[in-house]
Amino acid sequence: MTGIRLHAPAPGWDIDADVVVVGSGVAGLTAALRCTAAGLRTVVVTKARLDDGSTRWAQGGIAAALGEGDTPEQHLDDTLVAGAGLCDERAVQVLVTEGPDAVRRLIATGADFDKTADGEIALTREGGHHRRRIAHAGGDATGAEISRALVEAIRDRGVRTIEHALVLDLLTDAEGRTAGVTLHVMGEGQHDGVGAVHAPAVVLATGGMGQVFSATTNPAVSTGDGVALALRAGAEVSDLEFVQFHPTVLFLGAGSEGQQPLVSEAVRGEGAHLVDADGVRFMVGQHELAELAPRDIVAKAITRRMQEHGTENMYLDARHFGAEMWEERFPTILAACRSHGIDPVTEPIPVAPAAHYASGGVRTDLRGRTTVPGLYACGEVACTGVHGANRLASNSLLEGLVFAERIADDVIAAAPRVAGAPVPPATPVTLPLPVAGARTRIQRIMTAGAGVLRSEASLREAAEALDALHSDAVAGGTDDTKAGEPGVDSWETTNLLCVSRVLVAAARRREETRGCHWREDHPDREDTEWRRHLVVRLTPERTLDVRTTGTHDFPPTSEAPREP
């Protein structure tokens, strides 16, 4: 344990549970429903409303070997290729073999996927897939449908929920086991202000950290809270340098910041072409799958073409779809484009890469267990080993679904277990709150120094700038700026600063180009030295301990034997 905590008031209220799930996307709600069905007292804590997480924004779909002629082995092969040598094959095997039945259980829960004329699940292709295996809903509103079905099930089953609550820190007992979490509830209701949920099991399903960059497809709530909490609790994180930049995000002009509209991979899966301003298809000849190459390859190709032409965007041309296909297959994307003055039916869509998905996160085993007893992680906040150096399109919803079920089964198997009494750290260390305005500065530092293109020089500048913000916070501010006051904005900014420093440290250490980590000064993949993982811990002195695994396999998270 690190003894490190956020600077926050002591809890003024508390409730008891058997398990607390932090997050309300596909991973969190799946775990909560399964635990509830087994009779466990389950509490779901979510930062905004139940349906406000990243799952709702997922457009393309969920990948699984559901189609005729497709097999888990083929899905496994495509996943391993996309992961660029760093996938944990055991984890991928779990994903692809348990995935089809997990999707069928999701359908039984109430999710309604698009069907073909003969009543079968309609399947499409996306980048990196050699078969049509992406199930979708509402054309391009898959995440919204999955979220709707799961939220409805949560409410129907009377699962206790605490909305508008930012999780703060993990509580632990005298033996270092999980004993619950502290949280801050924003606004009036049954609970208000800082409180605690006491539980012997905590499931982190807090989503990603896209808000560390200026432009991202992630919603505003994606500020890396789960990864930062786990680091403060002494857990290990891994592979944070592998941030996937989605290649086709609607370009809204230079300087656009915050959440940007996504143009799903499925648009290319249905035959859209990437072109430059002259209408040239520049992906042809660069990869056997052309526009459907894995995302890192497409993002790099777009970035290179922009550099060559001195422009800030490329174009996605799907005018040949016609109005009917756009309106039926991609109504959400069509509406988003038109709201910004672009009509895909009659003109190419301006696109550019933007931060999209964190392949790394809190390191877990095949049961979702972290290196802290009783603390689990699933979904984008976790690093299961499935994604390796680059996530295969539409594997994210499936990973959340499959590993959430495995976590729930592990929690159920350990019940009944009563949470030990929370024990404060012997030598507590409070993280200083960043100075006012630090959030925007962090995002611009990360975009400039740790974006699609990276180098030792850019990463060093980013590290120095982030360290300066940390030092200013430790000093309590400067002559020009004051330290932040405890509150949601300053706590989120503290989390952003924490995960940004880890990401940059790992990216500096990995001196190669692999997957979605692109080092201009080390342009080649180096398997001898770097086909392994970087594991990071936060020390009690608030420094980062970065180590390299011996092989591309993860070591166990505990003394428990590894699964075969």
Side-chain angles (χ1 to χ4, degrees), residues 109-336:
T109 302
D112 186 15
F113 287 92
D114 296 338
K115 305 289 196 304
T116 62
D118 57 4
E120 298 297 319
I121 297 174
L123 301 172
T124 189
R125 276 183 70 192
E126 293 185 357
H129 293 272
H130 283 79
R131 283 192 174 271
R132 298 178 77 90
R133 66 166 66 96
I134 316 301
H136 48 83
D140 58 357
T142 310
E145 170 58 19
I146 290 174
S147 181
R148 180 207 61 77
L150 292 174
V151 168
E152 190 172 293
I154 285 286
R155 289 174 174 154
D156 286 348
R157 290 158 177 74
V159 180
R160 186 168 189 173
T161 61
I162 304 176
E163 295 182 295
H164 304 289
L166 172 65
V167 67
L168 300 176
D169 283 303
L170 189 74
L171 296 170
T172 53
D173 62 19
E175 298 179 353
R177 291 193 60 89
T178 293
V181 292
T182 57
L183 63 157
H184 174 78
V185 180
M186 299 164 265
E188 298 180 0
Q190 185 177 0
H191 302 293
D192 193 16
V194 175
V197 180
H198 299 292
V202 171
V203 180
L204 294 179
T206 52
M209 54 184 191
Q211 291 292 328
V212 301
F213 295 97
S214 296
T216 177
T217 62
N218 290 191
V221 294
S222 298
T223 51
D225 306 321
V227 172
L229 175 149
L231 282 164
R232 290 192 296 273
E236 294 180 350
V237 304
S238 188
D239 297 355
L240 237 58
E241 68 271 31
F242 296 116
V243 176
Q244 188 177 82
F245 285 77
H246 198 289
T248 54
V249 176
L250 184 62
F251 180 70
L252 300 181
S256 294
E257 296 183 339
Q259 186 178 8
Q260 311 289 301
L262 176 66
V263 182
S264 170
E265 192 111 14
V267 178
R268 281 175 282 137
E270 296 291 353
H273 303 146
L274 278 166
V275 299
D276 59 24
D278 298 322
V280 176
R281 285 183 65 188
F282 55 87
M283 283 304 301
V284 175
Q286 295 205 32
H287 190 276
E288 60 165 334
L289 295 176
E291 281 91 355
L292 287 177
R295 288 178 177 175
D296 63 305
I297 293 172
V298 180
K300 290 170 187 175
I302 291 174
T303 303
R304 285 194 189 100
R305 198 72 167 189
M306 291 192 301
Q307 289 177 327
E308 293 168 1
H309 286 226
T311 60
E312 294 180 297
N313 67 281
M314 288 287 113
Y315 295 90
L316 189 63
D317 191 351
R319 288 175 290 181
H320 54 285
F321 284 5
E324 183 177 353
M325 181 173 175
W326 268 111
E327 290 165 1
E328 292 184 0
R329 180 68 178 85
F330 301 110
T332 306
I333 297 170
L334 178 64

